[in-house]
Amino acid sequence: MTVADPLAHMGVRLTPHGGEIRVWSQHAERIELCIFDDKDANWIVKTIDLSRDRHGVWFGRTRELVPGRRYSLRASGPQGPTHRFDPTRLLLDPYAKGIQRLGSESFRSTVVDESFDWGGVSKPNTPLDHSVIYEAHLKGLSALNPRMPEHLRGSYAGLAHESTIGYLKNLGVTAVQLLPVQSFVSEQRLVKQGLRNYWGYNTLGFFSPHALYASKSAQAAGPSANLREFKGMVRLLHEAGIEVLLDVVYNHTAEEGPDGPTTSLRGLDNAGYYRQTANGTYIDVTGCGNSVNTATPAASRLIMDSLRYWANEVQIDGFRFDLAATLGRNADHYYDPEHPLLTQIVTDPELAGVKMIAEPWDVGMGGWQTGNFPDGWSEWNDRYRDRMRKFWLRDTRSIREHGDPGDGVGMLATRLAGSSNTFAQHRGPLSSVNFVTAHDGFTMADLTAYDTKHNVGNGESNRDGSNDNTSFNHGIEGPTSSRPIEAARRRAMRNLMGTLLLSAGVPMITAGDEFGRSQKGNNNAYCHDSELTWLSWDRRRWQKDHWKTTQHLLRLRRENPALRPVRFGIFGETTPGASQMDWYDADGSSMSVYDWNSPENRTLQYLAASTPEHEAFNRILLVIHGIEAPVTVTLPVHHGVVSYTELWNSGEDAPHPEEGPTYPPGTALEMAPSSLRLFRAN
């Protein structure tokens, strides 16, 4: 006998005779459905009392629930420290697929027409080892693009425009990861300051696309048109072979702290949706005022249903979970790697093949959990980020100022090879999403040009944003006319990008880093919706060269499977899908214990040979030199290698269109100061 799912089919579902609605609230005593006039969104033309079942689900039917119809909910219930019931307040349906904004704190749920012709276009299903993620802001990516009509810039249609798609294809990335595009609003504090939340990490509704990112014509036509434009964007990106990943914020909502705006969950069942103590004090492990309580079945189900909707109805290819450690906290508010929600996300049949990426921390006690997510998850690897910045930037400054490099190449090699000390053997290197920068923090260019943050424009007297950026300005803070400093900065950028794209794991590029975008030293530009954060399409000569370098590196990664192992190798064994790794010093000799641990050793040769599973055999040699002085290296003599063909040299401003010279093993070559060189081992 099949047991009916009590939480199935939540929200509005259209029927031949109108529609039906289902809403969960364990503690409400009454819930009303309010139907608004077609023209006047403030005039309630009908109210319907919903009925409650024994599982806390309230339901009702009416002919008025048709596409385009605006509606709200009102909930009454007990008073007490953990409740926030107000029978006069109009609330959003948590499952609303359309949201219309009427004022600063006034919203209406809207029934949408979900029909769409996908034209037979399916998901690209890019293997994870072939994936290169491009983290971008939906508006910022095309807001200044002169190659498209002005009315499409900064919109879903703008991302879908042939010039944007052509740019992404030509660069060589496989997936665009969009900062939040679910409906969001700005925090009350920002509104009072005359600022806005540009990034979007303040979600209003988990099912509705953000209306202000639709083109003006779609906005005028309403939520159904917004959804069609969003789906059209996904279809065109898929036609081009580009996956769409969404940055999703399920850890908290836009209702902020207990005194924040009540728009939905708080008014429907504050005790059931938010983490709090018995006296009603919110347990805030997100730093955003509230934390969604995923220890309750209804909250977890809301998240699962949202993921299923976007992955299936909207054909999204993957998700990056903001502050994902919060989702894994149990009823006692401690992180549990076996939390049912974390497991269900990666095992649910309806989400099979969907990429799941965790930001594996939050701000609560025990919140840093990199490497501790279940099988099936990939994770942002902050240890990778910190190590690469330290080797190429902080250590360089330390050597200049004190003659002390701090660390040698040992920890760098671990990160380069997939971070096996962070991710369990059976999880493999694809558990690591490698990045040097992200939306929060310095851009790659600013990492090389600023020692300290410059966030005064954020309205918090420069208090916000991280003080530990592991950056190095190379001698002058900010812009300079010094050619030696500019050359050193650009070489550092090439080294950072080169290391990122030649490491084992899944690389993520922040939009704009491919050409050296700057935010003028602002490392927390979340409240700037302006040219400070938008991508410029007017680029200087060196920026064009850097773009070509990034494009070249992406092609090399694509063509050399030895750079993309699927599994960690086991010493003494041949593991299909892994890369056999051999390590040499500057003299071409095998690394000794002293070499691995000596801070003075800043030169390393890394020979990686693929063990074919689905691609042809391939072997590469990467030479890393981390001192601002030239050094002579001897290419290693290795069994089966008869020559080395140069593919890239970070010491050069731009890549050569053709392969470089070929050298026999044992050849002595001079490495430029602080540089990388990549060879194919023949």
Side-chain angles (χ1 to χ4, degrees), residues 515-553:
F515 63 85
R517 182 180 74 91
S518 173
Q519 289 181 170
K520 301 180 180 180
N522 192 318
N523 73 353
N524 192 36
Y526 72 102
C527 55
H528 292 274
D529 186 1
S530 68
E531 293 189 17
L532 178 70
T533 52
W534 303 341
L535 265 65
S536 171
W537 295 75
D538 182 16
R539 298 166 190 174
R540 298 166 61 189
R541 172 65 181 272
W542 74 264
Q543 291 179 309
K544 295 176 181 178
D545 286 343
H546 190 67
W547 190 92
K548 291 177 182 177
T549 294
T550 306
Q551 180 194 45
H552 183 69
L553 287 165

Side-chain angles (χ1 to χ4, degrees), residues 274-460:
Y274 291 121
R275 295 185 181 275
Q276 54 193 296
T277 64
N279 65 6
T281 301
Y282 273 20
I283 298 172
D284 178 15
V285 298
T286 68
C288 301
N290 65 65
S291 303
V292 174
N293 188 3
T294 54
T296 67
S300 288
R301 181 58 181 265
L302 176 65
I303 293 169
M304 287 300 302
D305 285 345
S306 174
L307 292 172
R308 291 165 180 153
Y309 173 74
W310 290 100
N312 296 307
E313 179 62 31
V314 192
Q315 291 289 288
I316 294 303
D317 303 279
F319 302 91
R320 179 267 187 187
F321 294 78
D322 180 64
L323 301 181
T326 299
L327 307 184
R329 291 183 179 269
N330 59 24
D332 296 320
H333 315 299
Y334 293 106
Y335 177 77
D336 179 4
E338 298 180 355
H339 192 290
L341 177 59
L342 297 184
T343 301
Q344 187 178 13
I345 286 173
V346 291
T347 59
D348 186 82
E350 294 186 53
L351 298 175
V354 177
K355 295 174 174 66
M356 303 297 183
I357 301 170
E359 181 185 36
W361 52 78
D362 62 20
V363 302
M365 290 291 291
W368 188 76
Q369 295 294 333
T370 307
N372 294 328
F373 272 66
D375 293 357
W377 283 88
S378 296
E379 305 175 36
W380 272 24
N381 189 348
D382 56 323
R383 291 181 176 179
Y384 179 95
R385 174 200 64 199
D386 296 346
R387 178 56 52 181
M388 296 307 162
R389 290 186 183 188
K390 186 177 187 305
F391 185 84
W392 291 116
L393 299 172
R394 183 67 59 83
D395 287 358
T396 299
R397 183 174 71 180
S398 181
I399 293 171
R400 282 193 188 185
E401 295 176 354
H402 312 293
D404 177 14
D407 296 321
V409 295
M411 289 304 297
L412 177 85
T414 300
R415 299 299 164 205
L416 190 71
S419 297
S420 60
N421 64 340
T422 300
F423 300 98
Q425 176 74 28
H426 67 279
R427 292 186 64 189
L430 299 182
S431 298
S432 176
V433 174
N434 299 330
F435 66 106
V436 174
T437 67
H439 62 276
D440 51 348
F442 279 149
T443 67
M444 191 174 288
D446 287 353
L447 279 176
T448 71
Y450 295 90
D451 280 352
T452 60
K453 64 187 181 184
H454 296 261
N455 297 354
V456 173
N458 296 0
E460 298 184 49

Side-chain angles (χ1 to χ4, degrees), residues 60-76:
R61 298 182 180 88
T62 177
R63 292 182 178 274
E64 281 81 7
L65 285 176
V66 295
R69 176 68 66 185
R70 291 179 288 238
Y71 68 98
S72 289
L73 302 166
R74 288 194 298 223
S76 307

